[in-house]
Amino acid sequence: MGSNNITDRQVDINRKIDETYEELVRKEDEKKAIDEELKALLAEREHYSLLSEISDRLDQLDKEGGAKLFWGDDYDPSVASELTQRARNKVINYDTRVAELQVRQNAGDENIQSLAARVNILNEESLQLEEYAEELKHEFIIEREMQPLPYRQMVMPWTSQG
């Protein structure tokens, strides 16, 4: 592997690290925004819980025939039903939004973890490439071809023939 190829690979790895890091920062910013929105919604949880309970109680009161106690003697059942349905829809929309944000938050956490792992892997690759480049600098270079030596009969010290 030539030094030019190592340099190209190093540049490519550095570019990937930069891109991944930028994406990581972007995902962390998105997660922060989701966390803030979720925190604001969760601060209103008690209100929506009460709204849900009230709409359930109004339905129960209507089923038992006591809707006039709440709405008055001249109430319109369709208007009362529409108002309780609107309250119920607000609670459903709230719960749906909270669930959606929690799913996005969890997905964002997983994304951030995978991007952080990718940055670590790319950093390791970069270090390995640098080590390999350093090893290449110290590698023994063969500057000439070896030539076979002429045959010379070897004399072993334990032989009795001179």
Side-chain angles (χ1 to χ4, degrees), residues 15-161:
R15 182 186 49 77
K16 286 179 183 178
I17 289 172
D18 291 343
E19 289 172 357
T20 305
Y21 188 72
E22 288 171 5
E23 187 176 349
L24 180 64
V25 168
R26 195 171 44 253
K27 292 291 183 184
E28 286 176 343
D29 289 344
E30 288 175 11
K31 184 185 178 306
K32 192 175 185 180
I34 290 171
D35 288 346
E36 289 173 6
E37 186 177 351
L38 192 57
K39 185 178 179 181
L41 285 175
L42 292 178
E44 296 178 3
R45 181 173 287 286
E46 186 64 27
H47 296 143
Y48 282 95
S49 177
L50 288 172
L51 184 60
S52 174
E53 188 177 331
I54 289 169
S55 65
D56 290 344
R57 294 293 183 173
L58 286 174
D59 279 343
Q60 185 179 4
L61 186 64
D62 188 38
K63 287 178 185 174
E64 293 181 10
K68 287 182 180 182
L69 293 173
F70 181 79
W71 299 106
D73 290 335
D74 58 345
Y75 88 100
D76 183 359
S78 64
V79 171
S81 176
E82 183 180 315
L83 289 172
T84 52
Q85 184 61 40
R86 187 179 69 162
R88 208 173 297 110
N89 287 342
K90 283 186 176 191
V91 172
I92 289 170
N93 290 340
Y94 170 81
D95 289 339
T96 302
R97 183 67 181 152
V98 168
E100 175 188 309
L101 286 175
Q102 287 173 336
V103 166
R104 285 179 54 198
Q105 183 183 42
N106 292 338
D109 287 343
E110 291 172 8
N111 235 345
I112 288 171
Q113 290 173 354
S114 71
L115 287 171
R118 184 170 183 217
V119 166
N120 289 337
I121 290 169
L122 289 170
N123 281 332
E124 282 182 31
E125 282 183 34
S126 178
L127 286 174
Q128 288 173 351
L129 202 56
E130 287 175 12
E131 288 173 2
Y132 182 71
E134 190 65 28
E135 286 175 11
L136 283 179
K137 287 180 185 176
H138 300 293
E139 192 173 88
F140 178 73
I141 300 172
I142 299 175
E143 296 178 347
R144 61 186 174 99
E145 291 293 322
M146 290 185 64
Q147 296 176 354
L149 295 175
Y151 177 74
R152 194 176 82 187
Q153 186 176 4
M154 298 191 60
V155 178
M156 299 295 177
W158 56 84
T159 62
S160 58
Q161 304 165 353

